Amino acid sequence: MTAPGDGPWLDDAAGRLVRPFTVSNGRTRPTVALDLISQVRATGAAPLGHLGHLGPEHAQALDLCRASVSVAEVAAHLKLPAVVTKVLLSDLVDCGALTTKPPEFHHNPTDRALLEAVLDGLRRQL
């Protein structure tokens, strides 16, 4: 007797066939400091010297980075954990295929005047 859903897994029903950390060869630390809101963009250069160790996920990430995009957006599109995505992106930065730009903050997040303005705005909303 077979239960419903015991049939063969095909296409999307199979889910991800490769564990996320297999994609990064078990690495959990990127070589480049990347924040979730860091911007990454393809340089247009071919990833020289690393062609043997770059997988299909690297190619997908590189394709997503034709325009400037955040690390978080790349992770969402690849459906991979952020830490795995950071490792993939740092591989691409290391081989010259991507460039990164840290997030820009126009205000000091501990600026008293800014914090008071936020607090005032929140009080008006309540």
Side-chain angles (χ1 to χ4, degrees):
M1 174 183 286
T2 60
D6 278 351
W9 289 350
L10 302 172
D11 300 326
D12 292 336
R16 182 176 278 283
L17 298 177
V18 176
R19 293 280 185 196
F21 289 97
T22 304
V23 172
S24 65
N25 294 323
R27 295 173 294 144
T28 59
R29 296 187 192 268
T31 57
V32 176
L34 293 170
D35 196 312
L36 286 176
I37 57 176
S38 295
Q39 298 290 304
V40 288
R41 184 177 186 135
T43 62
L48 299 174
H50 292 76
L51 294 175
H53 111 253
L54 298 182
E57 290 81 5
H58 287 93
Q60 290 174 326
L62 191 55
D63 188 50
L64 290 168
C65 297
R66 284 182 275 149
S68 189
V69 62
S70 72
V71 171
E73 289 176 90
V74 175
H77 284 290
L78 294 178
K79 297 179 182 168
L80 289 171
V83 68
V84 174
T85 302
K86 288 179 182 182
V87 170
L88 296 177
L89 294 175
S90 70
D91 289 345
L92 292 167
V93 170
D94 289 344
C95 66
L98 281 185
T99 186
T100 181
K101 181 177 170 187
E104 291 183 14
F105 295 104
H106 298 289
H107 299 286
N108 178 357
T110 59
D111 178 23
R112 184 176 178 92
L114 176 63
L115 294 173
E116 287 176 354
V118 170
L119 183 60
D120 290 341
L122 289 172
R123 284 183 179 146
R124 280 193 293 265
Q125 294 296 320
L126 298 176

